[in-house]
Amino acid sequence: MSVKPIKDLSKLCVHTITTKSWSIEEAGERYEAAGVKGISVWRQYLEGRNIAQAGERLSNHGLEVVSLVRGGFFPSVSSTERKKALDDNRKAIEEAAALGAPMIVLVCGADPGQSLATSRAQIQAGIEEVLPFAMEHGVKLAIEPLHPMYADTRSAVNTMEQANDMAEAIASEYVGIAADVYHLWWDPHLEKEIERCGKKGNLLAFHICDWNSPTVDLLNDRGLMGEGCINIKEIRSWVEEAGFSGFNEVEIFSDRLWAMDQQEFLDKIVKSYYDC
Ligand code: ZN
């Protein structure tokens, strides 16, 4: 394993949900002061804002908007719900374009009332349906495979292999993959599938955090990098060897870390970032 150490913060991006209690304005100011260079914006932080102005404000803080989070949730046993999801994804695409975000992360969705294969077929059909609209707006769509513990309701795409299969079947330069260590670290085929993803030009994003052992909550107990058992460095080396040169995006949902002073938390993120 040859891993280049992280020397500076030029590739450090933070998701707004990571510092949950901060508004987008406060996050912009504090990320800049901490030396963060990229920001991925969760849609709820744009509510009630002029989105174009919010984007301008971030760029005035020297922050590159890396992605808008999140679109997706395509599958449903109900055709009315599936149609609603398409409308919501078109809205997300408009928001991303207004914000200046080059891509949307897709939490693809699943419906426990039908098979995973049916949900996956609906995901692919949904992406293909909104794709022309995304292309018109210059916004890419990043399929994020989620850990199989979320296969019931959050995503029927659970491995890098399934995400690769889907991205290659759609075969558009506007559709790729967001690889998140939290969801993928356990997969024995991960290195090979990351390499495959890079070769096809489909690797759009890289998300980092850690897996706490024990994990006390299935959603909101992600760890700060270094706290848990994920081989983040090794996975980063695979991603970089696959040709990825984008941001390392810190995406942490944690009741424990959200409860602490968020400035202290951000300082810890920056400190731990150098070792991951
Ligand atoms: Zn992620």
Side-chain angles (χ1 to χ4, degrees), residues 27-276:
E29 279 169 28
R30 291 184 183 257
Y31 291 5
E32 179 187 22
V36 176
K37 295 297 176 195
I39 184 167
S40 280
V41 178
W42 283 55
R43 292 173 72 193
Q44 59 266 42
Y45 291 85
L46 296 171
E47 272 166 28
R49 308 291 198 282
N50 176 311
I51 295 178
Q53 278 172 9
E56 233 168 80
R57 190 191 273 254
L58 295 175
S59 101
N60 291 338
H61 284 303
L63 292 165
E64 189 171 327
V65 179
V66 178
S67 58
L68 182 72
V69 193
R70 56 201 187 181
F73 290 101
F74 294 107
S76 173
V77 294
S78 149
S79 60
T80 314
E81 290 302 314
R82 293 202 299 276
K83 194 183 162 296
K84 260 195 223 161
L86 294 175
D87 291 342
D88 185 61
N89 277 277
R90 290 191 192 96
K91 188 164 171 262
I93 289 164
E94 288 173 343
E95 289 170 11
L99 184 67
M103 83 179 126
I104 295 176
V105 177
L106 299 180
V107 173
C108 291
D111 188 325
Q114 62 190 13
S115 74
L116 290 170
T118 300
S119 284
R120 275 194 291 278
Q122 291 176 353
I123 291 164
Q124 186 172 329
I127 293 172
E128 285 169 341
E129 179 77 27
V130 299
L131 182 55
F133 194 73
M135 291 171 75
E136 273 168 41
H137 287 78
V139 174
K140 293 187 179 185
L141 304 173
I143 298 165
E144 180 172 40
L146 297 200
H147 192 281
M149 69 179 169
Y150 302 123
D152 57 342
T153 55
R154 284 197 172 79
S155 185
V157 179
N158 305 108
T159 62
M160 199 67 185
E161 182 181 21
Q162 288 171 336
N164 276 330
D165 288 347
M166 192 175 289
E168 288 169 26
I170 297 169
S172 162
E173 58 174 316
Y174 278 83
V175 176
I177 294 165
D180 185 325
V181 298
Y182 188 76
H183 299 298
L184 303 172
W185 68 281
W186 55 272
D187 182 352
H189 303 299
L190 185 57
E191 180 176 11
K192 187 176 70 152
E193 292 295 331
I194 285 175
E195 188 188 346
R196 170 183 166 193
C197 188
K199 265 196 192 133
K200 295 283 179 180
N202 284 335
L203 194 48
L204 297 183
F206 181 52
H207 298 175
I208 55 174
C209 68
D210 216 334
W211 184 282
N212 287 333
S213 184
T215 290
V216 299
D217 185 279
L218 292 187
L219 189 61
N220 293 327
D221 189 31
R222 293 188 179 202
L224 177 67
M225 297 82 73
E227 283 184 335
C229 56
I230 299 180
N231 50 332
I232 304 174
K233 253 195 187 95
E234 188 176 36
I235 299 174
R236 180 171 65 79
S237 77
W238 298 340
V239 162
E240 289 173 3
E241 276 159 28
F244 181 78
S245 60
F247 280 89
N248 301 307
E249 304 182 41
V250 178
E251 182 191 31
I252 302 172
F253 324 140
S254 165
D255 291 329
R256 175 180 54 95
L257 297 166
W258 285 331
M260 69 182 282
D261 178 277
Q262 294 297 276
Q263 183 58 53
E264 274 174 41
F265 177 34
L266 182 61
D267 295 342
K268 272 176 183 275
I269 288 170
V270 170
K271 198 156 170 273
S272 63
Y273 176 71
Y274 284 104
D275 293 319
C276 68

